[in-house]
Amino acid sequence: MTTPDATDVLTRERGGFRTELIAHGWLLPSRTAVLPGLGPQANAVYDGLAALISRTTRARFAAPVTAVRFPPVFSASMLERTDYVASFPQLLGTISSFTGEQSEYRELIDVYDRGGDWQGRLSPTGLAVASAACHPLYAYLEGTTAAGATVYEMTGECFRHEPSDDPMRFVAFRMREYVVVGSEQQARAHRVQGIAIARGIFEALGLVIDVVPANDPFFGRGGAMLAASQLQDEAKFELVTEVYAGRPTAIGSGNYHGTHFGAEFALHQADGTVAHSACSAYGMERIVFALAARHGFEIVDWPPRVRELLGLADVGAVA
Amino acid sequence: MTTPDATDVLTRERGGFRTELIAHGWLLPSRTAVLPGLGPQANAVYDGLAALISRTTRARFAAPVTAVRFPPVFSASMLERTDYVASFPQLLGTISSFTGEQSEYRELIDVYDRGGDWQGRLSPTGLAVASAACHPLYAYLEGTTAAGATVYEMTGECFRHEPSDDPMRFVAFRMREYVVVGSEQQARAHRVQGIAIARGIFEALGLVIDVVPANDPFFGRGGAMLAASQLQDEAKFELVTEVYAGRPTAIGSGNYHGTHFGAEFALHQADGTVAHSACSAYGMERIVFALAARHGFEIVDWPPRVRELLGLADVGAVA
């Protein structure tokens, strides 16, 4: 249980961190756009981190790494196929647009000009903002036979409707993922290897890391049961670091999905049985800010080895 | 006027190009996700192109380049501030989610389980998918004084609800933009310089480029007038290339906005007058596919100079 005092301390810590990130130009606040942007130093660290993860995974994963890319928007039916609607309805996002004719357009403008509910005049497009970076991969692979001999690399924009003043909690963020689809053994081995690689990268960057069993914040139907089942199966591990004292924040994870996606998307092994899958994930913006929390807000003052790993050894103060 | 025969030819050309992109793994189709992904070769070209544009603009723009970054989602009120609701209601996208309590959750699940209209149970979140890469920048700069001595660089995910089988028309795509906010002279000079730099990059990559006055596809209120006014003011120029014979496709643009954003977002010059703005934009996926149309679907066979510029000189066949 968190006591009210501890909550106050955490709220102050989050507010203080956000203030510092803004003061040093890492976070670009906006009254109108609402979701903040990233400033030059945050961008430079992001780019260096993305390259470091690409290099390291290519050197260390046993199977060859293939880079693919999916847009931040997909069909709303994806939220049905992954049962995201039932598990996380409070986090999903569907997209509406104006699909009417000229006469309805005049009504829309009338409402809009009067400062009325113009959004009420829009209709669902059948599209949604992507809930996870790897979900479109299973849809792309639908109906194929997976040999497990490929590690798919992708960086995806993810949407989670959980607005917060905590700078470590984003509504829109980038997730780098490495996915294997194959036998149970291949999937489980990938999860183990993925966690080891991520831990190695984080520790080389000077972060203090713990690896802990985790569960997702399931909302409704069977939520408590699903969460308990994840923990019991050791299905998900998170790589956590302390940005806020005594409250670890997850910056990466390793997930073994069993046949969850294999069964839904008809992914098979060579012998015709349902394929298993696993992914190793990096919460990119969280890692960038965890590094600022650890090493300070001026990259020029970071440990030389960390700057070198991020390709920022020669960078002076980034404007 | 396009004759029916010409339309048929164009439809066949688009279909043929799409088939080739899929056959060679540049475009990853998906029955369920609907919007296609990008394969390994397309990703490699994207990364090389992004780096080439970054290097070239830093060497050639007179003012220093500062990299910022905004998420693909912003407040729906941004669509009001930029008057996007009135100009392009058919292209925008607002985001809905489930915001109810447990009792309403049970109703949602009930509808969902029966295969009913679960999206009808969602409510607007107040968020929207970003309509342009540069709009959040003006919101971030709101109320500031602009000296025009900075070129802001950003790559943004953009959403345009115009589903199409044409592989050159995307619902979600990445736009690289370079923006200057300052005096009229600075803004106009930036537009001219931005077009020259983009043209230089495209031609070095072997693309045949034309620069043409352009107008946006305004939908409703005063649409024809706004479009004509854009042309008359020479406000927008597009860099076009022929992916389809006789039908130029825009892959970049240079836009002088006048005081459109300066007035709306209270951006001022040092003397207190309203700031002008201009941007130079690169349609990233379109450029990648235009290069495939020009040089073929196997990077190993591309001209050595083009591969070198894209950092792909040593790349064999990309898996």
Side-chain angles (χ1 to χ4, degrees):
Chain A
M1 286 293 290
T2 308
T3 67
D5 275 2
T7 305
D8 287 353
V9 169
L10 183 63
T11 303
R12 275 201 302 277
E13 262 192 287
R14 287 174 174 168
F17 187 44
R18 186 180 161 87
T19 302
E20 289 284 314
L21 285 167
I22 292 171
H24 292 85
W26 287 65
L27 204 54
L28 311 182
S30 170
R31 190 172 59 78
T32 302
V34 179
L35 301 189
L38 297 182
Q41 291 199 105
N43 268 311
V45 174
Y46 178 95
D47 289 344
L49 178 67
L52 173 63
I53 297 172
S54 296
R55 282 200 313 274
T56 311
T57 48
R58 274 163 183 72
R60 292 203 46 201
F61 271 123
V65 173
T66 292
V68 292
R69 208 263 170 186
F70 299 97
V73 168
F74 56 33
S75 165
S77 67
M78 283 293 294
L79 301 174
E80 301 173 352
R81 294 292 298 276
T82 57
D83 214 31
Y84 203 89
V85 180
S87 300
F88 308 106
Q90 82 287 12
L91 299 180
L92 63 77
T94 59
I95 300 176
S96 295
S97 193
F98 174 70
T99 57
E101 301 298 326
Q102 277 289 351
S103 62
E104 291 148 291
Y105 171 75
R106 279 190 292 273
E107 290 171 28
L108 171 80
I109 290 303
D110 220 49
V111 170
Y112 169 63
D113 282 345
R114 291 199 316 267
D117 174 31
W118 60 269
Q119 291 196 48
R121 301 286 166 144
L122 308 181
S123 312
T125 58
L127 297 171
V129 276
S131 43
C134 63
H135 289 176
L137 176 69
Y138 310 120
Y140 163 62
L141 295 175
E142 186 160 12
T144 62
T145 297
T150 300
V151 177
Y152 291 98
E153 174 190 74
M154 69 218 75
T155 307
E157 294 279 352
C158 304
F159 177 86
R160 307 269 164 90
H161 188 239
E162 41 181 354
S164 164
D165 280 338
D166 179 1
M168 294 299 274
R169 192 167 291 282
F170 299 81
V171 168
F173 56 94
R174 285 168 285 183
M175 190 78 90
R176 168 73 67 90
E177 295 203 32
Y178 293 89
V179 177
V180 160
V181 181
S183 67
E184 175 171 357
Q185 192 192 355
Q186 286 170 322
R188 287 194 181 272
H190 176 69
R191 200 262 304 271
V192 170
Q193 205 184 3
I195 291 173
I197 293 173
R199 178 171 209 152
I201 291 171
F202 295 154
E203 291 183 344
L205 292 173
L207 297 174
V208 179
I209 295 296
D210 202 2
V211 177
V212 298
N215 62 273
D216 289 310
F218 292 101
F219 182 88
R221 184 165 58 186
M225 190 198 71
L226 286 166
S229 152
Q230 261 191 334
L231 285 170
Q232 197 180 337
D233 291 353
E234 302 199 328
K236 179 170 184 155
F237 285 89
E238 286 181 342
L239 295 104
V240 301
T241 191
E242 278 191 20
V243 172
Y244 307 121
R247 293 281 289 232
T249 300
I251 56 172
S253 68
N255 305 275
Y256 166 61
H257 313 128
T259 56
H260 179 70
F261 294 114
E264 181 56 41
F265 290 97
L267 309 171
H268 294 98
Q269 303 182 52
D271 64 6
T273 59
V274 179
H276 296 240
S277 64
C279 74
S280 153
Y282 297 78
M284 298 299 286
E285 283 86 355
R286 281 192 172 180
I287 302 168
V288 169
F289 287 180
L291 288 167
R294 179 76 182 88
H295 299 304
F297 298 98
E298 297 302 330
I299 297 171
V300 280
D301 300 327
W302 286 16
R305 173 67 184 147
V306 172
R307 297 180 58 188
E308 195 185 311
L309 283 170
L310 295 171
L312 301 171
D314 301 324
V315 176
V318 180
Chain B
M1 285 295 289
T2 308
T3 65
D5 275 359
T7 303
D8 288 351
V9 169
L10 183 63
T11 302
R12 274 200 303 276
E13 263 193 286
R14 287 174 174 168
F17 187 44
R18 187 181 160 86
T19 301
E20 289 285 314
L21 286 167
I22 291 172
H24 293 85
W26 287 66
L27 203 53
L28 310 182
S30 170
R31 192 173 58 81
T32 302
V34 178
L35 301 189
L38 297 182
Q41 291 200 105
N43 268 312
V45 174
Y46 178 95
D47 288 345
L49 177 68
L52 172 64
I53 298 172
S54 297
R55 283 199 313 274
T56 311
T57 49
R58 274 161 183 74
R60 293 202 46 199
F61 272 124
V65 173
T66 293
V68 293
R69 207 263 170 185
F70 298 96
V73 168
F74 56 32
S75 164
S77 67
M78 284 292 293
L79 301 174
E80 300 174 351
R81 295 290 300 275
T82 56
D83 214 30
Y84 204 89
V85 180
S87 299
F88 308 106
Q90 80 287 14
L91 299 180
L92 63 78
T94 59
I95 299 176
S96 295
S97 193
F98 174 69
T99 58
E101 302 299 326
Q102 278 289 351
S103 62
E104 291 148 291
Y105 171 74
R106 279 189 293 271
E107 289 169 28
L108 172 78
I109 290 303
D110 221 46
V111 171
Y112 169 62
D113 282 344
R114 290 199 317 267
D117 175 30
W118 60 269
Q119 291 195 49
R121 302 284 165 143
L122 308 182
S123 311
T125 59
L127 297 172
V129 275
S131 43
C134 63
H135 290 174
L137 175 70
Y138 310 119
Y140 163 63
L141 295 175
E142 184 160 13
T144 62
T145 297
T150 299
V151 177
Y152 292 98
E153 173 190 76
M154 70 218 73
T155 307
E157 292 281 351
C158 305
F159 177 87
R160 307 269 164 88
H161 188 239
E162 41 181 355
S164 165
D165 280 336
D166 180 0
M168 293 300 274
R169 192 167 293 282
F170 299 83
V171 168
F173 56 94
R174 286 169 284 184
M175 189 79 90
R176 169 72 67 90
E177 293 203 32
Y178 292 90
V179 176
V180 159
V181 181
S183 67
E184 174 171 357
Q185 193 192 356
Q186 286 169 322
R188 286 192 180 274
H190 175 70
R191 200 263 302 268
V192 171
Q193 205 183 3
I195 291 172
I197 293 173
R199 179 172 207 148
I201 291 171
F202 295 153
E203 291 181 344
L205 291 173
L207 297 174
V208 179
I209 295 295
D210 202 3
V211 177
V212 298
N215 61 272
D216 290 310
F218 293 101
F219 182 88
R221 184 165 56 188
M225 191 199 70
L226 285 166
S229 152
Q230 260 190 334
L231 286 170
Q232 196 179 341
D233 291 354
E234 302 198 331
K236 178 169 185 156
F237 286 89
E238 286 180 341
L239 295 104
V240 301
T241 192
E242 279 190 20
V243 171
Y244 307 118
R247 291 282 288 233
T249 299
I251 56 172
S253 68
N255 305 276
Y256 166 62
H257 314 127
T259 57
H260 179 71
F261 294 114
E264 181 57 41
F265 291 97
L267 309 172
H268 295 99
Q269 302 182 53
D271 65 6
T273 58
V274 180
H276 296 239
S277 62
C279 74
S280 155
Y282 298 78
M284 299 298 286
E285 283 87 354
R286 279 191 173 181
I287 302 167
V288 169
F289 287 179
L291 288 167
R294 180 77 180 87
H295 300 302
F297 298 100
E298 298 302 329
I299 298 172
V300 281
D301 299 328
W302 286 16
R305 174 67 184 146
V306 172
R307 297 179 59 188
E308 196 186 312
L309 283 170
L310 295 172
L312 301 172
D314 302 325
V315 175
V318 179

